[in-house]
Structure formats: structure tokens, C-alpha cells
Amino acid sequence: MRRLAVGAAATLFLAGCAGGTTGGTTGGTGGGQGKPAAISQADIDKAMKTPTELTFWTWLPDIDKEVALFQKKYPAISVKVVNAGNSQAEYTKLRTALKAGSGAPDVVQIEYQHIPGFAITGSLLDLRPYGAEALKDRFVDWAWGQVSGRNGEVWAIPQDTGPMGMLYRKDIFDKHGIEPPKTWDEFAAAARKLHAADPGVYLTNFPTNHNSIWTGLMWQAGVKPFQMKGADQVSVDVAGETSKKLASYWSGLVKEGLVSTDADFSDQWFQALNKGRYATWLTAAWGPLFLSTSAKETRGKWRVAPLPQWTAGDQKSGNWGGSTSAVVKTTKTPIAAAKFAEFLNTDPESARMLTTLQFLYPPTKALLSDPAFVEQKSDFYGGQQVNKVFADISGTVPTDFTWLPFMDQINNDWNETVGKSLADKTDPAAGLDQWQQTITTYAEKQGFKVAR
């Protein structure tokens, strides 16, 4: 169980490291050639009865069990599962295969934020002709938006998500008379109270080694940092008023010594979680299971709550992590590939297995409202219905957060600008301005016209 949980959580952590918090429509990566014609049901039925072999690249462990369900329903089709590496390793191999013109899979696992990069190069199949549009209402709106193009394309089928919440140490809160903060002002006040009472404990840790939490908090705050305006036009706005409000808030807590900036998912970070150095962890829906296997000494001490809000009474969150099943355009069996991607993530039994075997947090409305899922109680969290808390949070994620086709570069640049300013306790506004400029310069070198 620990291996599977850590594997699944690492998948979603990599999603955040590689491309920020996971989420957002693919912007404008479509070719604008109009909606392609639908494939007839007769052709679909024929294809699904024709002997076919599909190759499926994924880093999920034990996915063979879900694949077996598909093959049982469609015995003429066999699926070869290949682990081509997590996230970036897989994408590098995929780009190499596409450039060589051979060796690419039929179906591939892709994180949300990387869909634009593959879609803009014409590497993904638009799934609308294969009936994907009819699946829209099965998924939460913002997750469906992640796989939708500016011109209506459907580039992939959602597989999992990572709506963000706050895990907190109830024992530490109780000891110091702290209630779970409902606003960021209350969060700052609690940080001051806690650190004054016990200088060895921080209300939270804000890592500066990747921008996953930062991007999720931008998402929550309503920032629209990345937008595709056309095939060669992008909008970049990472240093606007709201972003600078975020930077001022977090840099202030860091400079006061109220929030640590340890690199997360490091040995030091794991030890700190077990020893009570952090009283909260701002994380995603995959975090509770990850924590329960990584900080076993704290069993029963944690609880879950929504993120604090900028305005009292609001209910908004961001997303960190998640991936999809996409069909590579070079496939010679597009119907079978499209239907496999659909089955894997929408068949009730397969979708449930993704939550029980791979421990992925579901994007489907059916599972997010299923009592068997949301009413589960966790001993690690004092009997709390953790899934239900995150199911409610999932409904508060804004639908209009989008990505650009070069998120790798954008996130690397964050480390050297905003992340560095937080770690060095220098001017965060200057770090944001620098990030804005580096993204703009890179985009223009790639041939994009950039607006703010």
C-alpha cells in the first residue's frame, strides 16, 4: 500500500513540479479548421471487433488490472502497457519518438499542463469524432476544461485531479488554542501566535524548490497568468496586482520567521512532518494518503480543512496535480485508442479501481458523489471523512485557469526568480517582475506574440 500510495502521490507531485499546479484549459492549441466529422457507430463497432494491438504508456503501478477490464469487454483488442518513466522522462521519450516518426504509443498518460505543448505541435488526436464530447457532463467542469482546446477540441480524457486543501495538526492547534483559519488574515495571526509560543514549530512550510503551491494559490486567488490568445499569441501576467499581493503576504511571513522554506519531499521535510515542525501542509487531494504512509508517527493527529480564503465567506481553491489519457495522432488505430482512453477513465469499475488501486483522486461526478467513496472514514485523520472534504473542495476550483505550451521553462524560471526571492528574503515584487520578463523573452524567442 505504501508503494502504491507513494507512487501515485509522486505522480501528482511531479505534475506540480513540472508544470505548476495542475489545471486549466489548453488555451488555443487547435488548428481552427472546424469541427471534424464524427465517426459512425457502425465504424466504431467494426473497429472494436477487429484484432488490434495498442501500446499504452503510463507510469501508474498495477494498471494491468484496469486494462484487463477493457480487454474482457473488447477481446479482439490487446493492450501492451509500457512504463516509459514518470512525467518528464516519458515526455522526452515521446518527443523523441514523434521526431523519429516511429516508436510512439497509441495512448499516453499526460499531465494537464503539458497538453498544450503536445497539442500545439499536432501530436495529439482530437477526440471529438470518437464521441468524447458526450463525456463532458461526467466530469467536474474545471477538469473537463483542462482537456478542452480553444476551438472546442477534446485533447484527452481526465484521469485524476488534485484540488487543494489544508491538512493540519489538531493536537498542535488544540494545545495553543488555535482554530483552523478560515481566512489568510487568520492564518497569518495563527502563525504569529504559534511561533511565539513555540519557536520550533511553524504554521506551515512554503517550499521554494518548485512552484506547485504558488501556482495553486494563484489559481485560488483568481490570477490568470497564462492564456493562449491565438495560434501564435499568448498572454503572460504573473506580476499583476493580485500576484504581488500573494508575494507580499508570503514573503512577509517568511521574513518574520513564521513560515519555513524547506525543500519539500526531501529527507529534512519528511523528518519535519513526523516531528511536528509543521502544523499544516497546504497540499492536494492526494496529500492525505501520501502523508499517512510517510508520517506514520503522527497517526490520528491530523485533520483536513479547505484552504483559507482571501475574502471571508468565499469558497475557492486551486489545483495541484492530475493527469489524463491522450491519444497520439500517429496511431494507426485511432478508434480503438480513443475508446480505450474513454473506457479507462469512465467505465464505472475501471474508474473506481483507479481510486482504490492507484489511489488517484477522481475527476468524475459519479465518484465524487458516491457514498461509498466520500463517506469513508480515516483513522489517520481521527475518523474524518477526508474524501468528502476534498469532494466539496473540488466543486470550488475556478474553471478558467489555463496553461501555455512551454510550462517546463516557465516553472524553471520561477525557481530562479520568485522562488529565489522567497528563499533569500529579498524583494518578491522584483522577483515577479523578473519572472514576467523571462517568460516574455522566452515566448518571443519561440515566435509568440506576447500580451499582458
Side-chain angles (χ1 to χ4, degrees), residues 85-366:
N86 281 354
S87 190
Q88 293 301 314
E90 183 201 75
Y91 303 148
T92 298
K93 292 177 183 177
L94 179 57
R95 293 185 184 104
T96 300
L98 290 168
K99 185 176 181 180
S102 63
D106 299 286
V107 182
V108 61
Q109 182 178 354
I110 297 181
E111 297 151 311
Y112 293 112
Q113 69 276 9
H114 290 288
I115 291 175
F118 286 104
I120 201 170
T121 58
S123 302
L124 302 182
L125 190 69
D126 182 357
L127 300 178
R128 286 180 295 175
Y130 310 93
E133 284 178 302
L135 306 175
K136 178 179 179 179
D137 290 341
R138 300 192 188 188
F139 297 91
V140 291
D141 292 345
W142 65 270
W144 189 255
Q146 301 289 280
V147 300
S148 303
R150 182 172 54 89
N151 299 307
E153 304 90 348
V154 178
W155 295 122
I157 308 299
Q159 180 171 271
D160 59 290
T161 61
M164 291 183 67
M166 180 181 69
L167 311 188
Y168 67 94
R169 283 283 297 266
K170 186 178 185 300
D171 59 326
I172 295 175
F173 275 32
D174 289 349
K175 178 180 178 180
H176 298 286
I178 297 173
E179 293 294 324
K182 296 185 182 301
T183 67
W184 288 114
D185 285 342
E186 291 179 6
F187 188 90
R192 294 184 181 98
K193 180 177 182 179
L194 175 61
H195 203 59
D198 189 346
V201 179
Y202 298 88
L203 187 60
T204 200
N205 178 66
F206 198 99
T208 58
N209 58 317
H210 62 85
N211 72 334
S212 305
I213 292 177
W214 181 266
T215 310
L217 294 178
M218 284 200 301
W219 195 336
Q220 183 206 27
V223 180
K224 299 179 180 61
F226 318 117
Q227 298 181 70
M228 291 291 299
K229 298 294 187 179
D232 63 349
Q233 296 180 326
V234 300
S235 171
V236 178
D237 186 9
V238 298
E241 181 180 351
T242 303
S243 293
K244 288 188 174 177
K245 177 182 177 181
L246 277 172
S248 176
Y249 177 87
W250 285 104
S251 69
L253 293 180
V254 170
K255 288 177 182 178
E256 285 187 59
L258 306 176
V259 169
S260 59
T261 56
D262 303 331
D264 58 4
F265 300 94
S266 63
D267 287 343
Q268 177 184 0
W269 182 82
F270 282 113
Q271 292 173 12
L273 282 175
N274 271 294
K275 293 179 179 179
R277 176 178 166 87
Y278 317 131
T280 72
W281 181 25
L282 307 179
T283 187
W286 47 264
L289 181 62
F290 184 89
L291 184 68
S292 70
T293 62
S294 303
K296 293 181 179 179
E297 297 173 21
T298 61
R299 180 182 180 86
K301 298 178 179 179
W302 291 88
R303 300 294 186 272
V304 182
L307 288 178
Q309 303 293 308
W310 287 107
T311 301
D314 278 358
Q315 290 297 323
K316 297 178 182 178
S317 188
N319 183 71
W320 172 8
S323 58
T324 71
S325 300
V327 176
V328 181
K329 198 169 185 179
T330 55
T331 181
K332 293 180 172 58
T333 54
I335 294 176
K339 289 303 175 182
F340 171 69
E342 174 184 326
F343 179 95
L344 185 66
N345 300 295
T346 63
D347 174 80
E349 187 174 357
S350 178
R352 182 176 295 280
M353 288 172 71
L354 288 171
T355 70
T356 58
L357 296 182
Q358 286 77 32
F359 304 108
L360 303 185
Y361 199 79
T364 61
K365 294 176 182 177

Side-chain angles (χ1 to χ4, degrees), residues 376-445:
Q376 290 179 17
K377 294 182 179 181
S378 170
D379 291 340
F380 189 88
Y381 294 91
Q384 190 177 14
Q385 294 176 336
V386 174
N387 288 339
K388 185 180 188 309
V389 175
F390 278 101
D392 292 340
I393 292 172
S394 182
T396 70
V397 177
T399 62
D400 53 2
F401 195 92
T402 63
W403 305 108
L404 294 180
F406 43 91
M407 292 308 303
D408 288 349
Q409 185 67 39
I410 288 173
N411 293 294
N412 288 336
D413 288 340
W414 185 90
N415 295 344
E416 300 303 319
T417 55
V418 184
K420 191 173 188 303
S421 72
L422 288 169
D424 294 345
K425 300 181 181 179
T426 57
D427 183 8
L432 282 172
D433 289 336
Q434 186 182 3
W435 191 30
Q436 172 79 29
Q437 186 56 54
T438 56
I439 297 172
T440 298
T441 300
Y442 182 84
E444 289 175 343
K445 287 182 178 179

